[in-house]
Amino acid sequence: MAQKVSPSMQSLKSLPADYRFDGENSSFGLTNSSIPRQGGLRNGVSQADTAAGDSDDSPYSSRHGVSVEEQSLTDDVEPGAATMPLPQNDERRWSDTSAYARKKILQSWVQLPNGNWELGKILSTSGEESVISLPEGKVMKVISETLVPANPDILDGVDDLMQLSYLNEPSVLYNLNYRYNQDMIYTKAGPVLVAVNPFKEVPLYGNRYIEAYRKKSNESPHVYAIADTAIREMIRDEVNQSIIISGESGAGKTETAKIAMQYLAALGGGSGIEYEILKTNPILEAFGNAKTLRNDNSSRFGKLIEIHFSESGKISGAQVQTFLLEKSRVVQCAEGERSYHIFYQLCAGASPALREKLNLTSAHEYKYLGQSNCYSINGVDDAERFHSVKVILSFTRRLSYSSSLLISEFYFVSLSIDLKTLMLQEALDIVHVSKEDQESVFAMLAAVLWLGNVSFTVIDNENHVEPVADESLSTVAKLIGCNINELKLSLSKRNMRVGKDTIVQKLTLPQAIDARDALAKSVYSCLFDWLVEQINESLAVGKRRTGRSISILDIYGFESFDKNSFEQFCINYANERLQQHFNRHLFKLEQEEYIQDGIDWTRVDFEDNQDCLSLFEKKPLGLLSLLDEESTFPNGTDLTLANKLKQHLHSNSCFRGDREKLFTVVHYAGEVTYDTTGFLEKNRDLLHLDSIQLLSSCSCHLPRAFASSMLIQSEKPVVGPLYKAGGADSQRLSVATKFKGQLFQLMQRLGNTTPHFIRCIKPNNVQSPGLYEQGLVLQQLRCCGVLEVVRISRSGFPTRVSHQKFARRYGFLLVENIADKDPLSVSVAILHQFNILPEMYQVGYTKLFFRTGQIGVLEDTRNRTLHGILRVQSSFRGYQARCHLKKLKMGISILQSFVRGDKVRKEFAELRRRHRAAATIQSQVKSKIARKQYKGITEASLVIQSAIRGWLVRRCSGDIGWLKSGGTKTNESGEVLVKASVLSDLQRRVLKSEAALREKEEENDILQQRLQQYENRWSEYETKMKSMEEIWQKQMRSLQSSLSIAKKSLAVEDSARNSDASVNASDATDWDSSSNQFKSQASNGGGGRQQQQPMSAGLSVIGRLAEEFEQRAQVFGDDAKFLVEVKSGQVEANLNPERELRRLKQMFETWKKDYGGRLRETKMILSKLGSEESGGSMEKVKRKWWGRRNSTRY
């Protein structure tokens, strides 16, 4: 539960009671004395400038629209308290603790005799003393000069220390404490982000926050804002960026680096490489982090992650560089600390199969892990951590680097997988380590653990030893793949080269233990370096670099323990170098640039650690030089090193010699006492040639690779004296020299980037959430120079642009022409045009210097102008695209019409062919049916004829028989003669009828042929009539469409009724004459010539109708075209186009109706003539035949 901050701030116990501030002698210095009348914080408060304006491009801007002075006038401060003039000199560090301020400020901070700061009200002031009322009701009298002004309540918890009206230590501590208790752990101090470790989860991260900072909808201080600024400046300025995260051990640097990487991955993601970068952190933490007394997850190595970006701002690759892994932690741990996490995770989380293969036991069984009596971390399950790492990494690989998920979602999704079903080997799949190499990695870790259990036995009176051939020794030999006898020899004997001879030296117990530990440390160190190489190869394969990068530095913080050894010595030296980089960037270079460019500026003093750096790096009498020199002497010891340091460095103000092996260095963060025990051994980092040869002879490929790497490093040229001991030992660079070279390379790389600083603050030493120890926080704030940074930022010009770049970037915003002006004139014209106040900028020799937020106005205007230009360009390009699309559509329509027309024509040809085929088939079928019907009729006629003839014959035969029988009675001979004549006459008549029948059949055939000809001709006439009717209808439609178009354009009435009537009368006369002629010709009878006349008359009438249609169509078309030309003004005529068009329309409708009637009448006449011709001829034939038949009968 977070503590509630009281107004009195009673919990503020920053200093002991017997300490006081001495503002004149040193910045924030402490002198051990009582509080004198004239002492105290004499110069401890800084007057506020006007409130800094907001900058849209900077994460360090705020959205407050009122200055802090205006805000301070509204509440607890009297008018005029915030309107003091800006000091013109820097003789006093805190110049706003003036007598005037003390008279006007009602609330002030007072330091009690016990060292606590409390907020009190000034009741009265008399001379140099003031009466203060404390929150508990106490009243005390204090010296007026010791009072420190307090800010009004309206400024409680501001997110930028630059907004404080009174900048002093108690106000800064109170502001940080106020925000910390509300889980607002980030605060801006000018260009520096201050991050207070909450030691708990706070709701400040995730996709929602990433999106808010990406869209700049959230301007509160955050690591996301720093990362967003870095990536935007990299793209805008095309300059590499760096994010330098510093702070004490346990301040949260590693977590802050991961948060920054998450934001960069979210903004620059899409290729999949961002997940590889993020998910290598668990491997590096497992192999490089450990529990210390101050931090449960302390990084025991330095790490620089350089993330490369493509031209489009997407991550294209990365490279990891590590510094000074603490190898001694492998073999030695202090009480209450642990070795590297991977050992405990492997022992707790290995599967049964892996445990059996590596002969693993619990962590308690290994001496390297058991010497500190600490095997676990509160609230951390090593087995679960072990599986969580491999789940994340294996699940990342299975995602195929999908860019749709962000980090927080991905993490929780991955943890939902069954942890018991996965193997640790999958954790290395992300760095593309083969299964064989993974097995070797775990074998090396187990071998290091078992090496610690190797024991020795004395074999002679000279205390020479040899390893005990037990389970530990055999397991080590099996895991690294060497012969057990060779392993025993390398741990108990040493081959020394003296000239051309080789001397075998037996090792004593301390020497053998050192050789064993050196082998274990070298194997683990080489394994760590090998993993880093695999990670770099994985992140760099196939990635195209453009030179743009953002480097994130996560390096160990300043350390000061009860016993400080060689590791703390190197770590604090690295922090001194980083602090110098910080000072150089924010203090030295800043102020030197102001002076060199000739602007009006008052220098600000700051704590410079150059003296401490010179103590380390000076040659030949620096700490590092003396350490390397003593390391070259075979007989050098830790005590001789301490004595040499005291002898040569006793006059240095930053060095103080203590008893025996102890010495003290005054660092920027405080004094640290070092114990030289183990300095020489750790600096030499000895691994004898025998051990290297042992590794090179192993059957496992990883030890051979380690040996090859160590031999390559030993062949590098060495700077400085070396002792003549033979073997690879004499050719190895010392650890301090190597680390110094890496550090200089790091500083050179960071010097070529634009830095962004994040200062991590540890609020307490017990890692408890909600606990805020002001003394510890104040010490860290002093070490990192936060107050000086804020003062420079408030009074300085953080934004600077060269004249050429400013004119090139904003010159197009000018209204007037600037083609013939120099960059300086253009820049000044821009400033005047946008009414930027003179106190908000200064013009230097080569650059323009702006106060905070001023450049944002120009950037907003520039962005709006460019946005408008882009809108115009996009509109014009859209218009061009639409025109092009319209042309394409038109061309496509034309092409489609041609294709469709061709298709329809082909379909019509096929349909016509099928229609003709169907007509042919129908004619054949109909003719067959007709022949069949004719044959049936003929057969029926024959049957009828035969029946009739038989009846006639039988009747005649009956008469003859009757006559014959009657004649016999009377006159037989006469009757016989009469009957014979009748019979012959009948026979003649039958023959004659048959001849007539044949003649009629022939005549019938002829008539049938003529009828068929008539039918064919009629079908041709009908076809022509239909085609003419279709053509007429099409032309009529065309005429109607033309008339409708003309009607819409002219909208006139037709007035030509008389001319139309005359034309119709003449047409009617022609039609009547032709019709009468046609009828008269049709009424005349017979013969072949008379039958041809109606047909020719019909054809002539049809021809005249067609000719009339064409003439009328031409006349109407020409008249309509003429009227359109008259209406449009192309032709001059003395008539009314609208009235003439109405007359033309009436004429057209009248003619159309008359023409249709005549056409229908012509069709009826032709149809009637055809039916009369065919029907009349058949009737005459039938009548003649039946007449002859009846006459013959009777």
Side-chain angles (χ1 to χ4, degrees), residues 716-959:
K716 293 181 179 180
V718 180
V719 179
L722 291 172
Y723 69 103
K724 308 296 183 179
D729 305 335
S730 63
Q731 301 299 319
R732 291 176 59 85
L733 288 172
S734 67
V735 173
T737 302
K738 208 178 340 181
F739 180 64
K740 180 181 177 182
Q742 289 181 336
L743 206 55
F744 271 94
Q745 292 178 1
L746 173 64
M747 291 299 108
Q748 184 178 7
R749 181 181 296 182
L750 294 179
N752 295 328
T753 63
T754 300
H756 305 268
F757 295 97
I758 300 178
R759 291 294 193 178
C760 296
I761 302 297
K762 181 170 62 173
N764 60 78
N765 284 321
V766 295
Q767 304 178 29
S768 174
L771 181 59
Y772 188 84
E773 297 178 2
Q774 282 76 22
L776 179 63
V777 174
L778 180 61
Q779 179 188 4
Q780 297 174 74
L781 292 176
R782 288 172 177 170
C783 292
C784 62
V786 169
L787 296 180
E788 285 86 351
V789 171
V790 176
R791 288 196 65 238
I792 289 181
S793 299
R794 282 166 39 139
S795 58
F797 302 89
T799 305
R800 73 268 339 248
V801 187
S802 65
H803 299 160
Q804 292 79 6
K805 185 176 181 180
F806 187 83
R808 184 172 60 251
R809 186 171 183 84
Y810 305 107
F812 71 95
L813 299 176
L814 284 177
V815 178
E816 58 185 5
N817 187 14
I818 60 172
D820 55 345
K821 293 185 179 181
D822 60 282
L824 179 59
S825 301
V826 174
S827 301
V828 174
I830 295 172
L831 297 175
H832 290 166
Q833 177 175 317
F834 288 94
N835 297 324
I836 297 180
L837 299 178
E839 59 269 19
M840 292 292 103
Y841 70 92
Q842 287 200 27
V843 180
Y845 299 143
T846 60
K847 296 179 181 178
L848 295 173
F849 295 82
F850 295 92
R851 295 195 185 275
T852 303
Q854 298 307 309
I855 202 70
V857 178
L858 295 176
E859 278 295 318
D860 284 345
T861 306
R862 179 179 181 270
N863 292 335
R864 287 195 298 268
T865 305
L866 291 178
H867 182 69
I869 293 172
L870 291 178
R871 288 292 299 272
V872 173
Q873 290 179 349
S874 64
S875 299
F876 179 70
R877 289 170 183 163
Y879 170 74
Q880 286 184 326
R882 287 189 292 273
C883 291
H884 183 62
L885 179 62
K886 188 176 181 180
K887 291 180 180 178
L888 289 179
K889 286 184 176 180
M890 187 178 299
I892 292 173
S893 299
I894 294 174
L895 181 62
Q896 287 178 344
S897 65
F898 280 116
V899 173
R900 289 169 180 166
D902 183 69
K903 183 179 179 181
V904 169
R905 284 190 292 272
K906 290 181 179 179
E907 292 178 353
F908 177 73
E910 177 66 18
L911 183 63
R912 185 171 58 182
R913 187 184 63 81
R914 295 178 61 183
H915 179 72
R916 290 176 179 176
T920 303
I921 294 173
Q922 288 176 356
S923 63
Q924 294 293 332
V925 171
K926 290 177 180 179
S927 63
K928 185 177 180 179
I929 294 173
R931 285 192 297 270
K932 187 176 181 180
Q933 291 178 353
Y934 175 74
K935 186 178 180 180
I937 293 173
T938 304
E939 291 178 354
S941 300
L942 292 176
V943 171
I944 294 172
Q945 289 176 1
S946 64
I948 292 173
R949 289 170 182 168
W951 177 73
L952 291 174
V953 170
R954 283 192 298 273
R955 191 178 69 173
C956 291
S957 298
D959 292 341

Side-chain angles (χ1 to χ4, degrees), residues 53 57 92 126 136 138 222-223 242-243 283 287 305 344 354 365 487 501 558 571 652 688 803 833 847 893 1012 1043 1170:
D57 287 345
R92 293 171 174 261
S126 130
E136 296 85 359
K138 297 181 181 180
H222 203 288
V223 179
S242 61
I243 300 176
I283 296 179
F287 283 85
I305 300 179
Y344 305 92
L354 183 62
E365 302 296 330
L487 178 60
D501 299 331
F558 184 84
I571 288 172
N652 194 302
H688 294 286
H803 299 160
Q833 177 175 317
K847 296 179 181 178
S893 299
Q1012 185 67 28
L1043 289 174

